[in-house]
């Protein structure tokens, strides 16, 4: 791909993004430290694609999402949206861009004002932006509700009258009201039941095809991310350690941390448990973002760590087409620091749990699968549309 074509296809570009939250103590509130939530990340999002972001709790995923939507002020770095630098735009300067950048929040109830009706909540973007849709606001809002699988009759009801899945649909309708180009979804299905997760994920897919949306989806569930993403960024302690296309990342992860994450993905078919590799259990907790380790931040929990890992931070390099990895000793790629002496603690960093093969009785009793499961997310539901669901009565 030429540089000109790559630039024209890039909708969001992030360079060296940093967010440090100061720690203050004493009567004069002097700063004594900082929580390094996001500490220098680089990535880009192309038009019409879905970028998934995964990692452990506390790695900076949600903070990154709020930074690129400018709900938080960055401490450093640069954020470009469609060629415009929005890193330090004022509230007034960001207002016109709010039509193009929207966010779906994690908590479907906490993000909705319980004192407002659904019509008031979903119509708020029109009021704030001074937009008068053709046919009137009420008609447009009812159309949005119908598009996300709710009934137009829900216009005058309140958030407490709806189930969790329906509330998340209301949040999606509000985010889509002004037809944005970029939607950042922060854990959009983590608070929902599995069956409702499938409905919401398939709804996001359908809306992307219909409206040409670009997504940044933040999630813990690796199966959900595999189902919805084109590319995936893996974060650890405020850093992106691997950025890759979906299929090669799941089939042959390069970063040791990514390999440990992938080993935790369950195989839903009992007949295929023997095909799953051993489980890698990382010992210890994630280090504190207040005082992260020197060098590679994963070296305190890595079984391949050497002296260079403790002394020098690895850059995010492209080691294969479409695959960028920050590791001195990557998996499934050429070693970037061959011959370096291993750390004394590297052999104690993990516990290997061997794969358990199903017994002959289990194999014979389990039904023949119709097709191998590619992900834990169910296929599009054949159940009746949520339009027919009755909201819970107060």
């Amino acid at each position: 791909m030429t540089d000109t074509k790559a630039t024209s296809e890039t909708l969001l570009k992030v360079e060296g993004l940093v967010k440090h939250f100061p720690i203050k103590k004493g009567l004069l509130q002097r700063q004594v430290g900082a929580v390094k939530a996001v500490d220098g990340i680089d990535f880009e999002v192309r038009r019409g694609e879905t970028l998934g972001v995964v990692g452990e709790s506390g790695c900076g995923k949600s903070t990154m999402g709020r930074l690129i939507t400018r709900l938080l002020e960055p401490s450093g770095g640069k954020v470009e949206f469609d060629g415009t630098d929005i890193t330090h735009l004022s509230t007034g300067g960001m207002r016109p861009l709010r039509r193009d950048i929207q966010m779906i929040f994690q908590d479907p109830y906490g993000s909705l004002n319980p004192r407002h009706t659904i019509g008031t909540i979903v119509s708020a973007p029109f009021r704030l932006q001074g937009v008068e849709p053709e046919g009137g606001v009420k008609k447009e809002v009812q159309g949005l509700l119908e598009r996300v699988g709710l009934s137009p009759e829900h216009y005058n009801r309140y958030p407490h009258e709806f189930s969790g899945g329906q509330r998340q649909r209301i949040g999606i309708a509000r985010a889509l009201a002004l037809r944005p180009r970029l939607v950042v979804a922060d854990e959009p299905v983590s608070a929902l039941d599995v069956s409702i997760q499938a409905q919401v994920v398939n709804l996001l897919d359908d809306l992307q095809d219909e409206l040409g949306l670009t997504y940044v989806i933040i999630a813990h569930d690796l199966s959900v991310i595999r189902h919805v993403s084109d590319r995936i960024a893996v974060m650890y302690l405020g850093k992106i350690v691997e950025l890759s296309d979906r299929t090669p990342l799941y089939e042959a992860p390069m970063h040791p941390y990514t390999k440990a994450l992938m080993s935790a993905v369950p195989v839903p078919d009992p007949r295929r448990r023997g095909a799953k590799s051993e489980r890698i259990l990382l010992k210890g907790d994630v280090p504190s973002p207040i005082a992260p380790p020197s060098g590679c931040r994963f070296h305190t929990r890595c079984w391949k760590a050497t002296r260079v890992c403790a002394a020098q931070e690895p850059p995010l390099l492209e080691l294969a087409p479409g695959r960028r990895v920050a590791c001195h000793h990557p998996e499934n790629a050429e070693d970037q620091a061959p011959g370096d002496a291993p750390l004394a603690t590297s052999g104690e960093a993990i516990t290997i749990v061997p794969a358990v093969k199903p017994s002959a009785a289990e194999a014979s009793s389990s039904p023949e699968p119709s097709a191998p499961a590619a992900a834990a997310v169910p296929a599009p539901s054949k159940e009746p549309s949520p339009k027919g669901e009755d909201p819970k009565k107060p």
Side-chain angles (χ1 to χ4, degrees):
M1 182 181 292
T2 63
D3 292 342
T4 304
K5 186 176 181 181
T7 303
S8 66
E9 290 185 353
T10 300
L11 181 64
L12 178 73
K13 186 176 182 181
V14 174
E15 295 178 347
L17 188 62
V18 174
K19 180 60 180 178
H20 293 174
F21 294 97
I23 301 173
K24 298 181 179 180
K25 288 185 178 180
L27 185 63
L28 300 179
Q29 289 294 289
R30 291 194 176 94
Q31 182 173 338
V32 296
V35 177
K36 300 174 182 178
V38 175
D39 202 18
I41 59 175
D42 303 90
F43 66 93
E44 64 285 327
V45 184
R46 306 178 189 120
R47 300 176 194 273
E49 80 163 352
T50 299
L51 176 69
V53 183
V54 297
E56 292 175 275
S57 296
C59 70
K61 306 185 302 295
S62 294
T63 301
M64 180 270 292
R66 291 173 180 268
L67 288 171
I68 61 179
T69 54
R70 282 302 317 282
L71 297 178
L72 288 175
E73 181 75 15
S75 303
K78 186 177 181 181
V79 181
E80 284 188 6
F81 177 76
D82 201 15
T84 302
D85 187 350
I86 65 171
T87 312
H88 298 293
L89 279 183
S90 63
T91 303
M94 275 300 299
R95 186 174 293 275
L97 291 172
R98 293 294 179 201
R99 299 184 61 172
D100 295 323
I101 307 172
Q102 288 291 320
M103 189 163 187
I104 300 171
F105 295 94
Q106 177 176 357
D107 185 356
Y109 189 72
S111 63
L112 304 177
N113 191 328
R115 297 177 180 270
H116 289 176
T117 64
I118 301 310
T120 303
I121 290 171
V122 180
S123 64
F126 298 110
R127 185 175 66 256
L128 294 173
Q129 291 287 338
V131 175
E132 183 66 30
E134 185 178 351
V137 173
K138 183 174 181 179
K139 182 179 179 181
E140 182 71 16
V141 170
Q142 289 178 328
L144 283 166
L145 292 177
E146 193 168 9
R147 176 172 281 168
V148 298
L150 296 173
S151 171
E153 297 175 357
H154 296 160
Y155 183 88
N156 290 318
R157 299 188 181 180
Y158 288 86
H160 71 269
E161 300 181 67
F162 295 87
S163 66
Q166 289 173 319
R167 291 174 193 156
Q168 193 63 284
R169 290 169 186 269
I170 293 166
I172 293 172
R174 178 177 58 183
L176 299 180
L178 298 174
R179 298 182 180 271
R181 290 187 285 165
L182 175 67
V183 176
V184 178
D186 184 11
E187 303 273 5
V189 297
S190 63
L192 307 177
D193 293 336
V194 174
S195 59
I196 305 300
Q197 284 184 9
Q199 294 175 5
V200 173
V201 165
N202 291 324
L203 171 64
L204 292 173
D205 275 346
D206 293 342
L207 291 172
Q208 184 175 40
D209 294 337
E210 181 183 347
L211 303 176
L213 300 173
T214 301
Y215 287 137
V216 175
I217 297 184
I218 300 164
H220 283 101
D221 194 325
L222 295 168
S223 298
V224 169
I225 287 293
R226 183 174 191 173
H227 184 75
V228 301
S229 302
D230 299 306
R231 293 189 302 138
I232 298 171
V234 181
M235 288 191 68
Y236 183 82
L237 210 60
K239 294 279 189 178
I240 291 179
V241 296
E242 185 164 359
L243 181 60
S244 171
D245 294 335
R246 173 184 59 189
T247 301
L249 183 84
Y250 278 81
E251 291 181 350
M254 287 188 174
H255 198 281
Y257 177 64
T258 310
K259 184 176 181 179
L261 284 182
M262 295 305 162
S263 74
V265 179
V267 176
D269 184 359
R271 296 174 61 89
R272 298 177 59 231
R273 282 189 302 173
K276 181 176 172 61
S277 61
E278 66 271 5
R279 172 79 166 90
I280 300 174
L281 300 178
L282 300 177
K283 293 185 179 180
D285 296 325
V286 180
S288 171
I290 299 175
S294 61
C296 174
R297 299 192 173 188
F298 186 60
H299 84 264
T300 57
R301 305 172 75 195
C302 182
W303 64 96
K304 303 184 73 174
T306 62
R307 292 180 180 177
V308 69
C309 300
Q312 182 180 342
E313 182 178 336
L316 191 66
L317 299 176
E318 185 167 3
L319 301 185
R323 306 197 64 182
R324 286 190 273 171
V325 186
C327 184
H328 294 297
H329 309 290
E331 301 277 340
N332 305 305
E334 183 181 355
D335 197 325
Q336 303 299 299
D340 195 41
L343 293 177
T345 57
S346 62
E348 304 173 357
I350 62 170
T351 299
I352 301 295
V353 179
V356 179
K357 295 186 178 181
S359 63
E362 288 178 331
S364 61
S365 62
S366 58
E368 186 68 26
S370 56
V377 177
S381 177
K382 301 297 183 183
E383 298 176 357
S385 171
K387 297 179 188 177
E389 292 181 8
D390 289 328
K392 293 192 290 187
K393 295 182 179 180

